[in-house]
Amino acid sequence: MLQDDQETTSENSAYNSSVYRLRHSTAHVLAEAVCELFPGTKLGIGPPTDDGFYYDFLVPRAVTVEDLQVIEERMRSSIEAGLAFSGREVSREEAKDIEKDQPFKLEIIDELSETETVTFYRHGSFEDLCRGGHTDSTAEIVAFKLLSVAGAYWRGDETRPMLQRIYGTAFESQDDLDAHLIRLEEAQKRDHRRLGLELDLFLMDPIAPASPFFLPKGTVVYQSLVRYVQDLYQRSGYQEVITPQIFDTELWKRSGHYDNYKDNMYFIRHEDREYGLKPMNCPAHALIYSSRLRSYRDLPIRFADFGRLHRYERSGVTHGLTRVRTFSQDDAHIFCTPDQVAGEVRTLINMYQQTYSLFKFKEVRIALSLRPEKRVGSDEIWDTAETALRRVLEEADLPFESVTGEGAFYGPKIDFFVPDALSREWQLGTIQLDFSLPERFDLEYVSDDGLRQRPVVLHKAMIGSLERFMGILIEHFAGAFPVWLAPVQAVIIPIADRHAEYAEHIRRQLSDGGLRVEVNDRNERMNSKIREAQLQKVPYMLIVGDREEEDKTVSVRLRSNEDMGSLAVGQAVEIIREAVSNNS
RNA sequence: GCCACCGUAGCUCAGUGGUAGAGCAGCGGUUUCGUAAACCGCAGGCCAACGGUUCAAAUCCGUUCGGUGGCUCCA
């Protein structure tokens, strides 16, 4: 049931490092400034984060971006004053008295365990309930910047009040801060939404919110990814199937989606019948499985499906290609005997690892998610399943972390995470065991002793949503796709009109060689055409002028600015084809 | 969904109560050029939509739609 596979996660910070204390201290100075500039402010929490800090406030009026400068100035005066940080321990009653006008702080005090001491930290006249971890003095804050304001629910809970969160960052030197700000700018330049527009890959239109239109060039990349996966399927015993988009609601009641996933589904009412647009493929595959009697000799049966899925995502959470309302996955369901699970999982892990390294993702993190409190199936089944998954991971000698309670209600799973160019982490692959689906659809096979047995189902998605994977790839490669994925693999640049015929001759040779090639015969100077090709990140530029025509060569320039000089046409074709077949 | 902000030409943006602007892209010419932007000209907008305030609205107010940054980092 591949739920919530579009979530991101992030790492926790090293807790008591000097930069942590610096940021924590800066957060206190921020709180001081806000309290002074906005009398009546109620304080939330203000922790440091991986690359900065924030503080949550309930303020009498909304804080705007313009306010940030004013707040920064007020903060600077505290910093220039060089105020010392000092802590003190108080009794619980005293703490409550100090914070009597601060409802969020009172809540925190009430939730502190009896064994913990209550401490306050002060700099100048500002004192805050705080566990501690500060610089000696505000003077140590030499480089900070407030970045943005945002809404944030108290304790991340939608039913609690919405606070104003001010994000900022601080570093131990101005150079470090500047470097960080430049990094943020660089990251913006490789934002897939921006590159998608610049490289003509896809577009969004308000008429279909959160639903991408893939343009011809984006479609080339998309289909290349599909073909890559299909090639793996072909070699690994998968059978691709095509299943309906719309099913009577009855199916979703049977699969459990109606009870558990209704809010994320689209429904259509037609001629007194209610239909649901599929958010997942599994029920359809279960129907195919159960359409005939299956023998243990048939297993494992692996059904793959690139079917288009629709999931309603709340308006505030959609984002470019990475969180959309319609997408397709490299989704497959493996129906097998309990004994076959380990072998299947082992094969999948190999396939995943091979693929992630092909796309040059380093540092793949693997998580084994174990039984949650609410679950189906006996403890015995869970023991067996969890042990099987763990053993496979251990035998493969892969580092992984076990997370208790994070498994799906229908079975444990292995998830694969990769960091993108902004070191945000994305879940790509997942391998999920499912005890529930076979029950709900009463799936069976005839075993070697002639008895009817229940198969186990594995949900497989290696790159997950193709839409999101493309978004990640665009940012990962900053739009400079490997040659095998590049929408245009080579562009031919005739220097003057008289070279057009020769250029066309070359184009045909590359096309015949199976390459995606264009001739730039616009009435522009060569320099301009090179610039266009560079900006479009075309891997190979083949420049042809008098000299090349004379010698039957092409002059090859790479998008890395490297000049390969003149090559015979056949030689150039071979070099490019070589790059394609190497998946480079 | 919630909070803040934003929506002006294909793109990036200026214009904050008084006749809609620029650069790039596009189109038409000229130019025929050797490794990241030739030159001249032309065209292009119901200022997201709807409603209101005003003599007058891109500009002020409201609603709707869309987008951006956030909403797990626990005193």
Side-chain angles (χ1 to χ4, degrees):
Chain A
M1 289 193 197
L2 308 191
Q3 297 193 7
D4 275 341
D5 61 339
Q6 299 201 347
E7 293 292 339
T8 60
T9 59
S10 79
E11 304 256 294
N12 280 341
S13 55
Y15 223 55
N16 219 348
S17 67
S18 60
V19 73
Y20 163 97
R21 290 198 302 274
L22 174 70
R23 288 171 179 164
H24 191 183
S25 303
T26 315
H28 273 234
V29 176
L30 167 62
E32 176 196 16
V34 171
C35 285
E36 196 175 296
L37 293 166
F38 300 86
T41 292
K42 309 296 180 201
L43 298 172
I45 58 167
T49 64
D50 287 345
D51 48 12
F53 63 87
Y54 66 81
Y55 211 116
D56 287 342
F57 307 99
L58 184 63
V59 275
R61 73 156 171 90
V63 178
T64 66
V65 189
E66 288 82 60
D67 293 325
L68 293 185
Q69 277 149 24
V70 183
I71 298 169
E72 273 189 13
E73 272 169 46
R74 175 62 191 79
M75 289 171 70
R76 269 181 235 290
S77 72
S78 277
I79 291 164
E80 278 159 22
L83 307 166
F85 279 97
S86 63
R88 65 178 172 127
E89 207 173 299
V90 301
S91 72
R92 208 152 291 249
E93 291 64 38
E94 199 181 340
K96 283 189 177 182
D97 187 56
I98 295 168
E99 298 288 20
K100 61 180 180 296
D101 295 325
Q102 293 287 348
F104 305 116
K105 296 292 185 190
L106 285 174
E107 189 176 323
I108 292 164
I109 295 168
D110 279 336
E111 286 175 12
L112 290 175
S113 73
E114 288 301 318
T115 52
E116 278 177 281
T117 56
V118 181
T119 50
F120 279 78
Y121 279 78
R122 167 187 293 274
H123 71 277
S125 60
F126 179 81
E127 187 168 49
D128 196 7
L129 175 71
C130 178
R131 170 179 28 199
H134 290 283
T135 53
D136 293 335
S137 154
T138 58
E140 289 172 48
I141 303 167
V142 292
F144 80 99
K145 188 172 172 61
L146 299 183
L147 296 173
S148 61
V149 285
Y153 295 105
W154 172 236
R155 310 228 132 154
D157 182 343
E158 299 184 25
T159 64
R160 311 296 304 271
M162 170 74 63
L163 309 183
Q164 298 272 302
R165 174 171 297 180
I166 297 180
Y167 280 94
T169 191
F171 284 86
E172 282 161 334
S173 74
Q174 188 65 38
D175 284 352
D176 288 351
L177 175 61
D178 291 343
H180 180 253
L181 296 177
I182 286 169
R183 209 172 61 83
L184 290 180
E185 267 176 49
E186 291 297 317
Q188 266 182 12
K189 284 188 195 150
R190 54 166 78 204
D191 187 308
H192 74 277
R193 293 164 301 180
R194 176 174 172 163
L195 286 169
L197 207 59
E198 286 172 3
L199 303 181
D200 290 323
L201 298 172
F202 67 93
L203 63 83
M204 296 291 206
D205 190 298
I207 206 71
S211 305
F213 293 61
F214 285 95
L215 300 172
K217 286 180 177 170
T219 303
V220 169
V221 180
Y222 195 103
Q223 298 290 29
S224 302
L225 293 170
V226 170
R227 274 197 297 274
Y228 169 80
V229 174
Q230 283 173 327
D231 182 53
L232 286 177
Y233 284 163
Q234 195 273 321
R235 291 185 279 142
S236 315
Y238 285 73
Q239 298 170 285
E240 193 171 337
V241 295
I242 298 173
T243 54
Q245 286 293 298
I246 298 168
F247 298 83
D248 192 294
T249 304
E250 193 192 322
L251 179 78
W252 306 113
K253 286 181 176 157
R254 186 164 181 195
S255 69
H257 287 91
Y258 200 81
D259 287 335
N260 295 310
Y261 206 65
K262 194 163 92 183
D263 291 347
N264 285 292
M265 287 180 64
Y266 291 96
F267 291 96
I268 300 168
R269 192 169 282 285
H270 194 253
E271 285 184 341
D272 290 333
R273 229 171 135 176
E274 191 185 46
Y275 301 87
L277 209 45
K278 71 173 165 189
M280 300 181 197
N281 292 311
C282 15
H285 294 182
L287 292 180
I288 295 176
Y289 180 91
S290 63
S291 66
R292 64 170 77 165
L293 191 56
R294 306 285 178 176
S295 156
Y296 74 97
R297 297 174 201 273
D298 300 329
L299 304 184
I301 290 173
R302 309 180 187 90
F303 291 139
D305 197 331
F306 290 99
R308 182 141 294 275
L309 307 177
H310 292 266
R311 298 181 187 175
Y312 174 73
E313 298 284 355
R314 297 194 297 172
S315 58
V317 306
T318 61
H319 179 90
L321 289 180
T322 56
R323 193 144 189 148
V324 292
R325 290 183 179 151
T326 175
F327 57 97
S328 99
Q329 297 187 114
D330 66 321
D331 190 18
H333 294 94
I334 299 171
F335 301 80
C336 62
T337 69
D339 289 348
Q340 291 170 329
V341 168
E344 288 301 307
V345 172
R346 200 173 300 130
T347 309
L348 285 175
I349 291 175
N350 283 338
M351 188 191 282
Y352 287 19
Q353 295 282 92
Q354 181 193 329
T355 296
Y356 298 154
S357 103
L358 170 67
F359 287 106
K360 301 183 170 63
F361 286 116
K362 301 176 177 79
E363 303 166 37
V364 179
R365 186 171 68 84
I366 301 175
L368 173 62
S369 297
L370 305 173
R371 69 190 79 183
E373 284 189 22
K374 254 184 74 179
R375 60 179 183 266
V376 300
S378 68
D379 284 354
E380 199 185 347
I381 293 181
W382 277 89
D383 285 343
T384 314
E386 289 174 355
T387 309
L389 292 185
R390 175 175 283 116
R391 190 166 298 151
V392 172
L393 285 170
E394 283 167 356
E395 282 169 5
D397 201 23
L398 292 168
F400 66 96
E401 50 181 300
S402 303
V403 204
T404 310
E406 284 299 298
F409 72 89
Y410 49 80
K413 56 177 183 163
I414 301 175
D415 292 323
F416 297 76
F417 301 87
V418 297
D420 70 5
L422 284 90
S423 59
R424 288 174 310 196
E425 206 177 51
W426 295 93
Q427 181 182 324
L428 283 188
T430 185
I431 300 170
Q432 308 185 354
L433 247 64
D434 192 336
F435 312 131
S436 169
L437 189 74
E439 293 284 340
R440 284 176 177 272
F441 284 86
D442 197 23
L443 304 183
E444 294 178 332
Y445 65 92
V446 179
S447 66
D448 57 0
D449 54 11
L451 296 176
R452 301 217 168 186
Q453 303 285 349
R454 188 127 289 169
V456 175
V457 167
L458 282 171
H459 301 258
K460 168 263 169 186
M462 175 172 66
I463 59 183
S465 145
L466 282 150
E467 277 68 9
R468 191 186 50 186
F469 189 64
M470 256 190 76
I472 296 168
L473 278 189
I474 291 168
E475 302 195 2
H476 185 61
F477 293 121
F481 292 108
V483 184
W484 70 281
L485 284 174
V488 177
Q489 292 166 324
V491 64
I492 298 163
I493 299 177
I495 291 179
D497 288 352
R498 64 178 177 279
H499 308 120
E501 203 177 317
Y502 181 61
E504 175 56 23
H505 174 67
I506 308 285
R507 188 198 64 75
R508 195 165 304 124
Q509 286 190 57
L510 268 71
S511 283
D512 288 349
L515 297 172
R516 297 186 287 268
V517 58
E518 285 179 357
V519 176
N520 187 345
D521 56 3
R522 286 156 45 85
N523 180 14
E524 289 291 346
R525 294 172 63 214
M526 178 200 66
N527 276 354
S528 165
K529 295 179 187 180
I530 288 176
R531 180 178 148 83
E532 276 178 43
Q534 287 287 152
L535 293 175
Q536 289 295 305
K537 326 245 176 181
V538 178
Y540 294 92
M541 284 158 255
L542 310 182
I543 293 149
V544 297
D546 291 336
R547 294 202 295 266
E548 288 76 13
E549 192 164 352
E550 179 78 15
D551 304 342
K552 300 290 172 224
T553 57
V554 291
S555 183
V556 180
R557 179 192 161 114
L558 308 182
R559 63 187 162 192
S560 59
N561 287 334
E562 185 188 340
D563 186 351
M564 295 181 75
S566 288
L567 298 175
V569 180
Q571 206 181 347
V573 173
E574 273 322 298
I575 287 175
I576 302 173
R577 290 184 53 164
E578 182 77 8
V580 171
S581 59
N582 287 344
N583 284 336
S584 62

